[in-house]
Amino acid sequence: MSSSKKTITRHRTATIGMVVVLFITLVVYFASESLLRNAMLKPIQREKVDFAKVLDWLPPKTKAELEYRARYLDLRQKYDRSTTREEKLQNAYKLAVHTRDMDEHNELLLPFINDPRYADLPGLYLAYGRMLYDPKNPKAISIPRYHAYLKTLKDPLELFFAWREGRDRLGKLGLRDAHIVNVEFLKPLLEKPLSFFLIRDYSYLLDNLKRNAKRISNDAASRIARKRELPGDAEKVGSMMQLSLDAEKLQNAVNARTDNYSVNDYRKLLTLRDKYQKALPGKETLTAAFELVRHTRNPAERAKIVKTLLKNPDYAKDPMILKIYAQVAGDVGKAEAIPITDFQKFVQNFPDPAGQYNGYLEALRRLNSLRASSEKKMALLRPLLSRKLKDLPFKDYAGFYDQISRCAVYLNDQNAFEQSTRLRDALRESDKPTLKEYLEAKKNTK
């Protein structure tokens, strides 16, 4: 009897235990299922996902195709959302470069080329360059048509970029006769006057023309030597070699110019012009003017700025005007420049003796920075030979007379040499103050 009671008790305990375990199991299941559901439904935080790593497991071709499509859709969306003409051209060009569909490529770019409304659009050369002379593109434009477009450009920087874009595009087409096509494209540069090459970087294009023309000549000569002459080879040997020599001569002339700019220097010039135009009256205008006249290589522009500033009586009395005006010293002998005699007269009449000295000093520094000739330095400093010792306020003038004496030796000007050395030595032996002492004494008397 007692054993049956124990058996019943064990079964009861086991049943209760199973019920408890089942209950706990159900609780855990539903809790975990709820957590899993929430995790699945929670939005992905894109900024915390590295999609490049997500794609790493894909086959290379599949990955490349997905990246192409993603980039295409992004560019297409930007193009469709473009509002301004400039923005539409920029996005059309980027999409045309990316797309593999030649028809789409042409449909994106040809409207900009064929529609007169876009003729004045900055950066239009990108569309022209992309459509230039591609044998694989039945709608590509010819080299003569590209040349006609170049003739419409007025901005020097835009014009250079258009020439460079065309040349670079031809270099990327993988043409078997690339050297011949390059010569055809660049040859019109030889017809341009030296003044056309305001951007010094044309030198690179002329070098390309020189080397490719020489190659055509050498190839023709080689075929003749191997008795595999083609029609016109005899003429090519001489004409292409002469073209190469002409290109080299022009290249050297462009490199030797002192009044042209690199691309970066010209961009800086445009920035300084804008800064000068927008400067507030007063010190800001004078500072901007000084930066511009120092950077521009156009004597006419420099002269115009100086004359404009001198119309303002306040500017004409400011010591800063001397630094600005002194920059015309480098333009001695140029027809469009302010005569150096005008600068000398202005300095001589400037009320402050220190200003007079600094005016000559700044002008001499300008000439030295340009490695000017002895004739130009003498033209600047010669009026000092007529000054009397008593009229020279500081010893520092001795430096000018030393410079005159050295120029006089080079120019074989005996009178100038004797006068300058006499004044130089007299100043050095005199009890006159230096410029620094003069300024300190003037400061203490106030």
Side-chain angles (χ1 to χ4, degrees):
M1 185 74 177
S2 63
S3 84
S4 66
K5 287 182 178 181
K6 288 181 180 180
T7 300
I8 293 171
T9 302
R10 279 199 300 271
H11 281 289
R12 230 177 243 171
T13 304
T15 301
I16 293 171
M18 290 176 65
V19 171
V20 172
V21 171
L22 180 60
F23 176 76
I24 293 173
T25 302
L26 289 172
V27 170
V28 172
Y29 168 76
F30 285 115
S32 62
E33 195 275 340
S34 177
L35 290 172
L36 181 61
R37 186 187 304 112
N38 289 335
M40 291 293 290
L41 296 177
K42 187 177 181 180
I44 295 174
Q45 298 182 32
R46 294 177 60 89
E47 66 276 6
K48 296 184 178 180
V49 178
D50 188 344
F51 287 101
K53 292 182 178 179
V54 173
L55 296 176
D56 281 345
W57 62 275
L58 293 172
K61 289 185 178 180
T62 304
K63 178 183 176 182
E65 186 62 27
L66 286 173
E67 289 175 341
Y68 167 80
R69 290 301 301 172
R71 176 66 174 158
Y72 174 86
L73 291 173
D74 179 59
L75 291 173
R76 187 77 214 188
Q77 187 178 60
K78 289 179 178 177
Y79 171 73
D80 292 338
R81 292 179 177 177
S82 301
T83 54
T84 66
R85 295 190 311 158
E86 292 78 8
E87 188 180 14
K88 202 167 189 67
L89 171 61
Q90 184 182 47
N91 290 326
Y93 174 77
K94 290 179 180 178
L95 181 55
V97 171
H98 183 74
T99 184
R100 298 170 184 164
D101 187 335
M102 183 64 75
D103 289 335
E104 182 181 37
H105 173 279
N106 295 338
E107 289 171 1
L108 286 164
L109 298 179
L110 283 176
F112 292 99
I113 293 175
N114 296 329
D115 193 335
R117 291 178 300 174
Y118 296 107
D120 62 341
L121 195 59
L124 185 59
Y125 66 87
L126 293 172
Y128 270 90
R130 188 71 191 177
M131 293 297 301
L132 175 62
Y133 190 83
D134 186 351
K136 297 178 182 178
N137 185 354
K139 294 187 177 181
I141 64 174
S142 66
I143 290 178
R145 184 174 179 186
Y146 195 94
H147 286 159
Y149 162 68
L150 291 172
K151 292 178 181 179
T152 68
L153 298 177
K154 305 300 180 185
D155 178 69
L157 202 56
E158 186 93 349
L159 180 57
F160 168 74
F161 286 152
W163 274 103
R164 188 180 67 178
E165 180 70 18
R167 161 61 191 89
D168 290 350
R169 177 61 179 164
L170 292 174
K172 294 175 182 176
L173 294 177
L175 304 171
R176 292 185 61 184
D177 59 346
H179 56 300
I180 298 174
V181 176
N182 278 324
V183 168
E184 180 185 353
F185 179 73
L186 296 173
K187 187 177 178 181
L189 288 175
L190 296 180
E191 302 169 3
K192 306 296 183 183
L194 190 57
S195 59
F196 172 86
F197 301 94
L198 185 64
I199 305 298
R200 192 181 304 121
D201 300 61
Y202 276 107
S203 175
Y204 151 75
L205 299 179
L206 293 169
D207 184 69
N208 185 280
L209 175 60
K210 173 187 70 177
R211 290 185 290 102
N212 283 312
K214 187 175 182 179
R215 177 182 171 183
I216 294 173
S217 175
N218 291 339
D219 287 349
S222 177
R223 287 193 294 270
I224 292 173
R226 290 184 285 114
K227 300 188 183 302
R228 296 182 179 180
E229 182 177 351
L230 297 175
D233 274 353
E235 180 184 356
K236 284 180 182 177
V237 172
S239 63
M240 287 294 106
M241 184 57 70
Q242 184 59 53
L243 192 151
S244 178
L245 293 172
D246 291 343
E248 182 177 19
K249 181 180 179 181
L250 182 56
Q251 179 189 15
N252 292 336
V254 170
N255 290 335
R257 285 185 65 179
T258 59
D259 58 349
N260 54 13
Y261 305 83
S262 67
V263 167
N264 289 336
D265 280 345
Y266 192 78
R267 281 175 171 156
K268 182 178 179 181
L269 176 67
L270 297 180
T271 300
L272 292 176
R273 282 175 179 168
D274 185 63
K275 182 179 178 180
Y276 172 65
Q277 291 298 327
K278 295 178 179 178
L280 296 174
K283 291 293 184 184
E284 187 175 320
T285 290
L286 291 173
T287 300
F290 176 68
E291 292 175 351
L292 180 53
V293 296
R294 285 280 292 177
H295 191 75
T296 183
R297 292 163 192 174
N298 184 349
E301 181 175 22
R302 201 165 11 248
K304 182 179 179 181
I305 293 170
V306 171
K307 290 176 180 178
T308 299
L309 294 175
L310 290 177
K311 292 178 182 178
N312 187 323
D314 292 333
Y315 292 160
K317 294 183 292 184
D318 194 304
M320 187 68 177
I321 195 66
L322 292 164
K323 295 184 67 175
I324 297 170
Y325 205 160
Q327 306 312 307
V328 305
D331 302 330
V332 172
K334 297 180 180 179
E336 63 270 41
I338 295 177
I340 193 65
T341 52
D342 287 2
F343 168 73
Q344 292 162 338
K345 186 182 298 183
F346 181 82
V347 172
Q348 182 178 340
N349 294 328
F350 198 77
D352 179 23
Q356 294 178 13
Y357 173 82
N358 285 326
Y360 271 111
L361 182 62
E362 188 67 33
L364 183 59
R365 285 173 176 169
R366 174 67 172 172
L367 291 176
N368 286 334
S369 70
L370 298 174
R371 299 182 179 180
S373 64
S374 293
E375 288 89 346
K376 289 188 176 182
K377 292 178 182 178
M378 184 65 85
L380 168 68
L381 300 175
R382 187 176 291 278
L384 294 178
L385 291 174
S386 61
R387 302 280 288 272
K388 304 295 184 181
L389 180 62
K390 63 182 180 61
D391 297 326
L392 299 171
F394 348 102
K395 282 187 176 181
D396 302 63
Y397 272 93
F400 293 142
Y401 291 111
D402 187 59
Q403 178 71 69
I404 293 172
S405 66
R406 284 185 274 127
C407 291
V409 170
Y410 182 83
L411 299 172
N412 196 27
D413 188 334
Q414 185 64 30
N415 289 334
F417 176 78
E418 292 176 356
Q419 285 180 272
S420 59
T421 52
R422 177 178 56 79
L423 285 167
R424 179 197 63 193
D425 294 342
L427 276 170
R428 289 173 177 174
E429 295 172 1
S430 71
D431 57 357
K432 292 179 180 290
T434 62
L435 175 61
K436 182 178 179 181
E437 292 169 343
Y438 171 85
L439 293 175
E440 288 178 351
K442 184 178 179 181
K443 182 179 179 181
N444 292 333
T445 57
K446 289 185 179 180

